[in-house]
Amino acid sequence: MKATKLLLALTVFISGAAIAADNHDTKPLHGGVVAQAKDVDYELVSGTDKLQLYVRDHGKPADVAGMAAKVTLLTGTEKQDVQLLPVDGKLEASGSFKVAAGTKAVAAVTKGGKPVASVRFSLK
């Protein structure tokens, strides 16, 4: 009986530690959609004339100097590739974009020409 209680207590302790270790605040700060890749939070803010990608590492804005992202937008049967470049602490592109609820987006983020992360979003 004592072994069972000990095992149960150990299981609860380990589960709690695992949950605490993955305690990222993934709330959008700029009105976009947030996704994680390699313990970094990416927030994609989409509009018909502008796409913005905010990068946060452990809750703090990451330095996007030297970064770029290629975002592929999939709306129904249409596909659009967009190149985002650093602008005022975020990655951004201006133009004409087909975004609607249900649009899927995949961002291939690079720094110095080397792959950093592939991030998937589903726009609401």
Side-chain angles (χ1 to χ4, degrees), residues 48-119:
T48 57
D49 62 346
K50 192 176 288 189
L51 289 180
Q52 299 170 320
L53 186 64
Y54 294 86
V55 183
R56 291 191 310 263
D57 190 0
H58 293 90
K60 296 179 182 169
D63 181 14
V64 295
M67 280 187 169
K70 176 185 171 190
V71 176
T72 302
L73 299 171
L74 302 168
T75 306
T77 59
E78 296 186 40
K79 176 182 172 185
Q80 183 178 14
D81 290 324
V82 182
Q83 187 71 27
L84 278 66
L85 299 173
V87 175
D88 297 328
K90 64 190 167 297
L91 300 173
E92 182 175 281
S94 296
S96 178
F97 309 110
K98 290 193 176 194
V99 291
T103 296
K104 306 289 184 209
V106 179
V109 182
T110 59
K111 185 163 188 169
K114 296 184 180 178
V116 174
S118 178
V119 192

